[in-house]
Amino acid sequence: MPPKQRFSPQDVIEAAFQVVRKQGWEGFSARTIANELNSSTRPIYDYFNSMENIEAEVVKKILSYYVHFLSQERTGDKWLDQALGYVLFASTEKHLFRCINDEKHTPSQRQFAQHHWVELGEALSEDERFKNISAESKHKVRAARWIMIHGLSHLISNGWFKTPITEDSILSEELGITLVEFLKKVNHGLYLEFNG
């Protein structure tokens, strides 16, 4: 009778997730996952036919964690919290942010984002700012804001600003305002510009 496995498929995925979280895709290999498990590579290949299958599972796990991160209440304003969560994810989880926004994994992110976009929109359904505007205006405001915060998040995750960036961090000497203040201005300006 063969010895009982010490690790489950979920253990392997969690170990792979932690490798990618610490090192990005550059560190992703059967050996580094085995090291994270404190094991040989055997459990990895016992459960998964290829590293590509593990990679796909890691992407799903990152996206799930990303949604949880974005959904947290931080200020009491859901519209602001969504933007703040996005930027803070890029700051505190740099490798994970890059891993779902690189050229190879953007198609998975895009497919996932369609469903997530609807969920985030539904979370704003009770927000007074969005109750009385057309669906088209609402979409334009949200899309413009996403483009803006994705650019900022990309800069932060790649070290353009001092990191880690927090809610109270001053983004730059030129702006002289905190991240939260900046995002409030972005939200307000884009809402006024595209709601008309």
Side-chain angles (χ1 to χ4, degrees):
M1 182 187 228
K4 210 173 175 182
Q5 285 288 351
R6 285 180 40 213
F7 301 103
S8 69
Q10 292 73 29
D11 292 330
V12 174
I13 294 165
E14 178 61 27
F17 172 82
Q18 292 303 329
V19 165
V20 171
R21 191 179 201 181
K22 295 171 196 169
Q23 302 176 41
W25 291 122
E26 295 79 17
F28 180 73
S29 71
R31 174 58 36 216
T32 56
I33 296 168
N35 288 344
E36 186 73 24
L37 287 168
N38 198 19
S39 165
S40 71
T41 58
R42 181 171 178 178
I44 296 164
Y45 293 110
D46 282 349
Y47 292 120
F48 297 95
N49 295 329
S50 69
M51 290 301 291
E52 288 79 18
N53 290 340
I54 298 172
E55 185 174 339
E57 292 300 318
V58 170
V59 169
K60 287 179 194 172
K61 186 169 178 70
I62 294 170
L63 291 170
S64 176
Y65 177 65
Y66 162 76
V67 170
H68 171 73
F69 196 98
L70 261 64
S71 301
Q72 293 176 22
E73 184 175 322
R74 292 178 169 86
T75 67
D77 177 343
K78 285 185 181 182
W79 176 233
L80 179 59
D81 286 347
Q82 288 175 4
L84 187 56
Y86 197 96
V87 175
L88 292 178
F89 184 79
S91 176
T92 60
E93 298 289 357
K94 287 185 195 184
H95 289 300
L96 297 182
F97 180 83
R98 292 178 201 154
C99 285
I100 57 172
N101 287 292
D102 65 359
E103 189 173 356
K104 181 178 179 184
H105 299 93
T106 295
S108 296
Q109 166 73 309
R110 185 176 289 126
Q111 181 181 12
F112 173 81
Q114 291 171 352
H115 173 73
H116 184 56
W117 181 264
V118 172
E119 279 184 14
L120 289 175
E122 287 171 356
L124 298 173
S125 63
E126 296 303 312
D127 189 307
E128 290 300 322
R129 292 166 287 197
F130 292 100
K131 278 187 173 179
N132 298 315
I133 67 172
S134 70
E136 181 182 0
S137 291
K138 183 177 180 179
H139 180 79
K140 284 180 180 178
V141 169
R142 293 180 63 217
R145 205 272 301 262
W146 175 79
I147 291 168
M148 175 68 211
I149 65 167
H150 183 75
L152 173 61
S153 297
H154 180 76
L155 290 171
I156 289 170
S157 78
N158 285 299
W160 187 266
F161 298 102
K162 79 174 177 122
T163 53
I165 296 291
T166 66
E167 297 173 30
D168 300 322
S169 295
I170 302 296
L171 283 181
S172 68
E173 291 177 16
E174 295 84 6
L175 293 175
I177 59 175
T178 66
L179 174 60
V180 169
E181 292 168 329
F182 176 74
L183 292 175
K184 283 180 182 177
K185 289 180 183 298
V186 167
N187 281 354
H188 183 68
L190 293 174
Y191 181 86
L192 292 178
E193 183 65 31
F194 288 95
N195 180 25

